[in-house]
Every structure is written in C-alpha cells, then in structure tokens.
Amino acid sequence: MSVVVRKVGIEADWDLRLTEPGDLLSLRTRWRELEERSDCSFFQSWSWIGTWLEALPPNQQPLILEARKSGRLVGLAALGSCTMRRRGVFTSRALLVSETGDAAYDSLTVEHNGFLLERGIEAETLQECLRFLAGDPIPWDELIVSGVEANRAGIYLDSARATGLDTHVRITEPYFYIELDCLRRSGANYLSLPSANTRYQVRRALRQYAERGTVTVNHASDVVEAREYFSDMCELHQRHWEGRGEPGAFASLFMLNFHQRLIEKCMPRGEVELVKLSAGPERIGYLYHFMFRGVTSSYQSGFLYEEQS
C-alpha cells in the first residue's frame, strides 16, 4: 500500500529537525538504538537503510528527519525529494520515505516501509512528524510512503487527517505469508496447503529432477559462497527476463552494487540468506532471502527454466 499525504499546513511543536545524513557512523548509532525500541521490518533497519545511503550517489542523498520527545529519540525517516509530473501537465514537489523518486535508484522495491518509530507511541510521533513537515521546513506538495503494510496504514492516514492533511491511498496490493510456527504445531506438511493442482505440479517436478540425481538444498555458508550464489542467480534471473523482453531486476550497476554491499554486511549478521537448489550435479536455481526478527522475506530468485515435456 502506498499512502500519499498532501500538504495543508500546521505548526510543529516537538523537537524535530531535517538535516543531511552527515556522518553515517553517528547516524548508524542513533538508528540502531531506536531500531531496538521499534517494531520495524528489515527494510526499516539500518542494515537496509545504511547500505542504501552508502550506495546512493551524492546528488541523490536523502534528508534525515529526526524527532525527539523530551530529549529522547523517538522517530527517524530518510526522505528523498524530487519533482513529479501528474497527468502529464501538473508538477508536484514530492518527499518520499526511503526512496529517491528516481526510478533508476528506486528499483530496489522497498517493502514493509515507513517511518522508524518508537514502540508504543507510533501514532503520536508520526503525527508530530507530519505537523513538522507541514510547517514548511522545506518546500513540498506531497509525501509518499510506499510499501506500508495494511495493518500499519491506519496510523498514517489517521495521523495525516489529524494534522489537517489530505490523504489518498494510491495502490493496494496483497502480499502473502505462511505462519511456520502454526504449521509446525499442527504437524501438517506444507504441501498439504496449496491446491491439488499445485501439489501435483510440485511433486511432478521433483520426480523429474530426481531422475538427474538427488535433489538438494544448500545454504551459502559464508560471504564468499553467498557472492558466488548471488552472481549465478543474477545470471539466471537476467537470462529469463531479458528473454521475455524485460530488463530484469539486476540490470543496473546500482542494483548490483547495493546487493553486493548488503550481502557483505548482513550475511555475518544472519540477515541475508542465499539458497542453491540442485538436482545431482546440476543447479536448478537460487533463492535470495532476508531474515529479521523471526521473519524470512523472499526477495528475489533465479531459475534455470526448461521446456516442459
């Protein structure tokens, strides 16, 4: 879900500031400290945000919004800015949370996004942040928050309306997940959950792959192996999508640079997982996951697609 907030204007009264990122080591310390007191996703953590800031060129660096209550850090956000054209005629000065507004750098596809807010006072802090921005610290016409989870979108809409801002839900799309703890407690096998046709297709594929050798799943054991898996995954991914006339997710040097940095930083922290699937000596494909606070997010993949017989 993407929430767009249009400015009306109201005074701010908290200790808030909007600055350039500056010293990333100092910002990392503040971000990590607030991260521990928040219910954030991997895409809101310093692992993602810090890597993004390092990978962006100087002319694309966002501003950092920092909110303090009684001297205590309670809110942070990285705000990109750009001028957008609406309906081919109107221009709008946009602020974007964890995005730049330039498609070349926003192809990372941020998900589970939003302000980093202290647990328990999210709505109050967000409302004060919006009041501050509405007070014109810099010129803007709309604030765009992409990838907000549906169960969190309410505080953005409510806080914006309480601040006197016009709100608009731009896009709503589903995302799917599996509660593995529930599945384990039930004693059920995952293949009992999909439709009969899906179960048939999976079992048929496994039988055919098994004819080439044992089907195995290997997890990259260190950064070096993870880089190898990532490189091969990108090659398979790009081959498939370019064959369909599409650019693929890893067509730009920025994307490759970002993810190479992310793997190097986050693999030792147990936050990145690269998985290789093989049938005998032949690789079938790769999966690229993020793991954070008990949640595994499937981010990208690359497979050796073949004609079905």
Side-chain angles (χ1 to χ4, degrees):
M1 178 177 291
S2 298
V3 178
V4 180
V5 182
R6 292 192 173 84
K7 181 182 63 175
V8 174
I10 193 168
E11 299 270 332
D13 59 5
W14 270 29
D15 180 12
L16 293 102
R17 62 191 62 189
L18 194 60
T19 63
E20 294 180 353
D23 179 11
L24 290 187
L25 289 177
S26 175
L27 180 58
R28 180 184 66 182
T29 299
R30 302 197 303 279
W31 201 287
R32 287 287 193 200
E33 189 267 333
L34 179 56
E35 184 181 314
E36 290 301 312
R37 295 185 281 111
S38 74
D39 294 323
C40 69
S41 73
F42 178 73
F43 296 90
Q44 295 169 286
S45 73
W46 182 254
S47 294
W48 179 274
I49 295 293
T51 305
W52 179 59
L53 292 176
E54 289 180 0
L56 285 173
N59 66 342
Q60 290 291 343
Q61 288 293 313
L63 294 172
I64 303 300
L65 174 63
E66 186 170 325
R68 292 180 180 271
K69 182 179 182 181
S70 302
R72 179 184 177 90
L73 181 63
V74 294
L76 282 166
L79 302 177
S81 61
C82 72
T83 299
M84 293 186 167
R85 187 169 295 277
R86 300 297 187 192
R87 299 181 181 178
V89 177
F90 305 103
T91 58
S92 173
R93 297 163 301 180
L95 295 178
L96 306 95
V97 177
S98 303
E99 293 184 293
T100 66
D102 186 325
Y105 302 108
D106 293 343
S107 56
L108 294 175
T109 314
V110 63
E111 301 177 35
H112 310 287
N113 189 26
F115 287 63
L116 185 67
L117 303 167
E118 181 170 316
R119 185 184 300 112
I121 56 170
E122 292 94 339
E124 179 186 3
T125 303
L126 180 59
Q127 186 170 322
E128 298 304 328
C129 288
L130 296 182
R131 280 182 176 158
F132 169 74
L133 291 173
D136 281 334
I138 58 172
W140 64 282
D141 299 304
E142 58 183 324
L143 173 66
I144 301 175
V145 192
S146 299
V148 179
E149 292 181 17
N151 62 353
R152 294 178 178 267
I155 69 165
Y156 287 87
L157 297 171
D158 292 343
S159 296
R161 290 165 185 153
T163 313
L165 303 175
D166 177 40
T167 62
H168 174 62
V169 177
R170 185 175 60 177
I171 302 170
T172 301
E173 294 181 347
Y175 72 91
F176 304 95
Y177 65 93
I178 301 169
E179 288 279 3
L180 292 177
D181 282 343
C182 293
L183 189 64
R184 294 185 188 104
R185 286 194 297 268
S186 71
N189 183 292
Y190 170 71
L191 276 181
S192 65
L193 302 179
S195 67
N197 181 61
T198 298
R199 294 197 300 271
Y200 168 75
Q201 295 295 339
V202 169
R203 288 167 176 152
R204 177 171 178 263
L206 286 173
R207 286 196 302 271
Q208 290 180 334
Y209 279 124
E211 293 173 0
R212 307 177 188 183
T214 302
V215 176
T216 57
V217 177
N218 294 299
H219 299 253
S221 59
D222 54 31
V223 171
V224 173
E225 191 168 35
R227 284 174 177 164
E228 293 174 358
Y229 285 12
F230 177 75
S231 178
D232 203 20
M233 181 195 74
C234 289
E235 192 276 325
L236 293 176
H237 177 96
Q238 291 301 121
R239 183 195 306 178
H240 171 69
W241 286 103
E242 289 171 3
R244 298 178 62 176
E246 300 289 342
F250 302 103
S252 73
L253 290 177
F254 172 76
M255 283 288 288
L256 293 173
N257 178 44
F258 172 85
H259 286 289
Q260 287 164 354
R261 287 172 181 258
L262 193 71
I263 290 168
E264 182 176 348
K265 290 175 177 293
C266 298
M267 180 83 184
R269 292 175 58 88
E271 294 176 341
V272 159
E273 179 181 61
L274 273 297
V275 181
K276 178 181 180 180
L277 295 85
S278 304
E282 182 180 11
R283 94 281 205 226
I284 300 170
Y286 299 86
L287 299 172
Y288 182 21
H289 299 153
F290 303 139
M291 300 185 295
F292 189 73
R293 296 184 176 178
V295 175
T296 298
S297 302
S298 179
Y299 182 76
Q300 268 300 349
S301 63
F303 287 94
L304 183 64
Y305 290 98
E306 303 176 25
E307 293 293 332
Q308 292 189 359
S309 57

